[in-house]
Amino acid sequence: MALLKHTPVEIKERKALTVNPAKTCQPIGAMYASLGIHGCLPHSHGSQGCCAYHRSALTRHYKEPISAATSSFTEGASVFGGHANLIQAIDNIFTVYDPEVIAVHTTCLSETIGDDLNQIFDKARKSGKVPEGKTCLGAPTPSYVGSHVTGFSNMVKAMAQLAEPSGKKTHKVNVIPGWVEPSDMGEIKRLCAMVGVDITLFPDTDGVLNAPLTGEYKMFPDGGVTIKELKKTGDALGTLALGEWCSADAARWLDAKCKVPCTVLDMPFGLAATDRFIDVLRTVAGVSVPDSVAFERGQLVDMISDMHQYFYGKRVAIWGDPDQLISMCEFLVSLDMQPVYVVTGTPGKKFEARIKEICADQPFEVKVKAKGDMFLMHQWIKNEPVDLLIGNTYGKYISRDEDIPLLRWGFPILDRQGHQYFPTVGYKGGLRLLEKILGLLLDRKDRDDPETTFELVL
Amino acid sequence: MAKTKKVVQLMPTDIKEELLKKYPPKVARKRAKQILINEATEAEAPPEILANVRTIPGIITMRGCTYAGCKGVIMGPTRDILNITHGPIGCGFYSWLTRRNQTDASSDGVNYMPYCFSTDMQDQDIIFGGEKKLAAAIQEAYDIFHPKGICVFATCPVGLIGDDIHAVSRKMKEKFGDCNVFAFSCEGYKGVSQSAGHHIANNQVFTNLVGENEEPKEGKYKINLLGEYNIGGDGFEIDRIFKKCGITNISTFSGNSTYDQFASAQHADLDCVMCHRSINYVADMLETKYGIPWIKVNFIGSKSTAKSLRKIAEYFGDQELIDRVEAVIAEEMPEVEAARAKVLPHTEGKTAMLFVGGSRAHHYQDLFAEMGMKTLSAGYEFAHRDDYEGRQVIPELKPDADSRNIEEIEVEADEKLYNPRKTADEFKALEEAGFEFKHYEGMNDQMDKGTLIIDDLNQYEADKLVELLKPDIFCAGIKEKFSIQKLGVPMKQLHSYDSGGPYAGFKGAINFYKEIDRLVSSKVWSYMKAPWQESPELTATFVWE
């Protein structure tokens, strides 16, 4: 019997009830972004449950310790404001854990009360609670606006706002990777190094959320962008923001306030988006792309041509974060696959238009929804099925009920591992995506084929 | 951390001092009262521990919030009640299927547990109020799913903006007629831990559900199992044993539970309390209102399971049941003993630390003891003093500002349904024979002298404890898991059991033995250093010599 047995085929419009969301709240995104700063302890300004939930969800996804503190509001703080709690917290954090940076994000509670983080930081500094050379930064992340992606973006913007332009340009390029895996951030660094461009990647969770097991526990692992590097982002040649939803705000702020020209690109998932990334990167940095990059690209093209017969015409339902979905849909279309249902919980009018544009002139009609939920997507699938699901772990219920293979991709992945280590961005990441998709489709075919057509060679 | 570096001979006072050393003076003073060197076995007056007090801001806590305790822990495992979180999307999302509560819906097919329902409040709802959206959401849920019950959970901003979720729920209940709708004021900031949320949930279930179904329930020996949440299928194993013994479990609060189970709880003749912290007051209320006496049980560990079954049989005092229980124990134990004998050579003499929940840190010590493992240190995440020191301290507990926020409901004997299950003489005879009603001796009593009992342990202290005492296994939750493992010590989740379970009952004990054997015997913990890191100096010998 089906697990989601109460989901009816008939679709009725819902105005108030969200069922099986395809998003979560802002602070978790801010917490993840903060972990990409070297020596940073994220701090959740609100009641302790938010911090506990965000730490648990990030831990389950990354399988790594996620240290973060909280203001632990009780009723008093909720009525009189959280100033005292945060100042006490800052004092305790620097005394006990000694981080380089505390990155504070708000919650729906502290936002509703109207706590002003910068005012509290000032007070903490004046009363000597912030040791010399240490940094406090903050981002407003009300949970009732946007989604986890918005929270990520807000914290990344707060990181950009640390910039102290000196007027002297460096030879570096800022790259804002957006909410991708630590492995993806590592791959972006590798690609940029191959092209020969010196970059400041922020945030950078590579080395933080895929740290080795050595018998030692470092609350602050070696990875992450440093405050010194962030201060210099205002002197960079330019900024490449990967993803309109995740990264553009920070890049545009650097452009407007520090005169660092920005280019907003799609996240480099798949062939075309990676091509554009490399092309813009070499233009901004004024370098030529080495053959080794073209070689990797050619390998991806080769694999696409080898596998095309299995991908052609396959119908896909996909959900997740807007920036990821846009690039993935483009990749699927480039394989002659058909992303027929596309859902994000994150709001954004441009999203639907962008997906429709990618799927225009294709031999299928795309159903796309921003501010949608997985319940709706499941109903679409019940009405007309697909061959493949691409999205987070919560899709496994639909996968089992409807007997459709699921590619786990996005956030959160709670029931599989490897995503921390194996990138899906860039040409190499594209190879991995293709390998996984092909595996799923062929495993399915091998399971379903009758004995007569069960074949050794494909 | 190589096992050879084991530091022994640290006095408990030294360890305590080491844990407190780094704190600012005010924090150190408070934590000092929450860290107890156990002397309960000898001292005339057991030492006091500070518990159920506020978490210190900035200290990385293991605790969650009131909403988590209410929606996540207590109401999460009920399968045919549709739970709507009223608030921004996060809270509903994070409590969506993350506790590994299992359920069996094969009898009627109704199961809303794989679903997450939320009003997904937006900024305009915060500014103008969210009551209309909540009413509309309840209506939509009713129209699509037609559940027997809808529960509404308040998140932090809902309390702040003052949405009257109870009035909205009442109105919708009246409108529907065939669907019970009620709400929980379980805003995250209330209380100091999950415990407040358990209380809020239990009170509402007791007020709005228990006693609703007046149809008598069949069964010779009818019990309720309180404080069992069917994590990893624990409840299934306990129910299997009950069935085998001929004991009828009317309702489990709230593992694998249904609307009707709660509604019929008053038909039981005995309440068996597993998790003392989360539910002891419900047992008291059931006794006051319906006359059902309660006993403390523990189905974690094969000996505890046998003991609890015998206690239930003794209560009913029926030879048929007593014989049946003995037969079941005799039938189940050989397999358990065989499994135990297999792991004992690997586990005996090893050490454990447990920092979980509000009873698990106690219950699981029985299982470790069966494997010959000693508990060096333990503590609860959200317990009150009685969970450490025993129920005799309850009269001493003074309500503070935070506990006053949590509604206490007054219960009286129900005019129609109150029915004392035994005569005064029968109770007296049982008690004189050593039978203990409403009794819980607390965790401290069972732990060795000189062990460290720590309330509301935090990440810093956890890592420090592991560094200093190097236990062979550490038990806590997902947030603690990987920092402990980075230290080279295996960590077992006892909130969600990682991916394992059941660990309750006889079959569960076998599962746990195997799991702990796997963890403490795993080769991976010997791989921490590469060969060239173990002896970094160059030597003059070569492998081919």
Side-chain angles (χ1 to χ4, degrees), chain A residues 5 7 15 75 97 214 217, chain B residues 60 109 115 140 405 459 529:
Chain A
K5 56 181 77 76
T7 303
K15 286 199 167 118
E75 202 139 73
Y97 313 108
T214 60
Y217 167 54
Chain B
I60 302 177
Y115 292 87
E140 287 173 3
N405 285 337
Q459 181 175 337
K529 293 279 173 278

Side-chain angles (χ1 to χ4, degrees), chain A residues 96, chain B residues 12-23 28 31 35 377 452 454 457-458 460-466 468:
Chain A
V96 181
Chain B
T13 42
D14 301 334
I15 297 161
K16 182 169 175 177
E17 200 179 312
E18 191 65 30
L19 294 180
L20 296 173
K21 215 163 66 181
K22 221 175 177 186
Y23 289 129
R31 288 302 298 156
I35 301 174
S377 183
L452 283 162
I454 308 176
L457 187 83
N458 58 56
Y460 168 71
E461 291 168 8
D463 297 339
K464 204 83 204 159
L465 265 184
V466 169
L468 293 171

Side-chain angles (χ1 to χ4, degrees), chain B residues 81 86 132 139 240 255 259 298 325 337 372 388 508 517:
Chain B
I81 296 175
H86 184 39
K132 271 191 188 155
Q139 183 70 52
R240 178 188 74 85
Y259 186 96
N298 176 18
V325 161
E337 280 304 330
Y388 292 102
D517 181 18

Side-chain angles (χ1 to χ4, degrees), chain B residues 236-352:
Chain B
F236 295 153
E237 164 65 1
I238 300 172
D239 279 343
R240 178 188 74 85
I241 298 169
F242 282 157
K243 209 172 165 192
K244 209 168 162 182
C245 293
I247 298 164
T248 306
N249 183 11
I250 301 286
S251 66
T252 301
F253 284 62
S254 52
N256 188 31
S257 58
T258 60
Y259 186 96
D260 186 63
Q261 281 190 16
F262 289 132
S264 310
Q266 78 283 5
H267 295 300
D269 292 320
L270 177 69
D271 283 330
C272 300
V273 174
M274 271 282 276
C275 175
H276 178 259
R277 176 66 267 134
S278 60
I279 207 155
N280 71 83
Y281 36 86
V282 174
D284 279 343
M285 291 191 291
L286 284 165
E287 177 160 28
T288 310
K289 189 165 181 184
Y290 303 109
I292 311 170
W294 71 266
I295 57 171
K296 175 78 180 71
V297 293
N298 176 18
F299 290 99
I300 304 297
S302 64
K303 286 178 192 153
S304 316
T305 302
K307 196 174 152 194
S308 297
L309 289 174
R310 288 189 174 117
K311 201 166 168 185
I312 294 168
E314 191 185 351
Y315 165 80
F316 285 104
D318 194 329
Q319 198 57 44
E320 189 189 324
L321 179 63
I322 292 167
D323 292 345
R324 186 76 213 123
V325 161
E326 288 306 328
V328 169
I329 295 169
E331 202 183 309
E332 298 275 339
M333 279 310 279
E335 198 189 339
V336 176
E337 280 304 330
R340 196 169 81 94
K342 260 192 185 163
V343 302
L344 212 51
H346 313 148
T347 56
E348 193 152 36
K350 292 216 161 77
T351 56

Side-chain angles (χ1 to χ4, degrees), chain A residues 373-385:
Chain A
D373 56 28
M374 290 175 64
F375 184 76
L376 172 70
M377 192 186 67
H378 191 184
Q379 290 185 305
W380 283 345
I381 292 168
K382 276 180 177 290
N383 279 281
E384 202 179 339

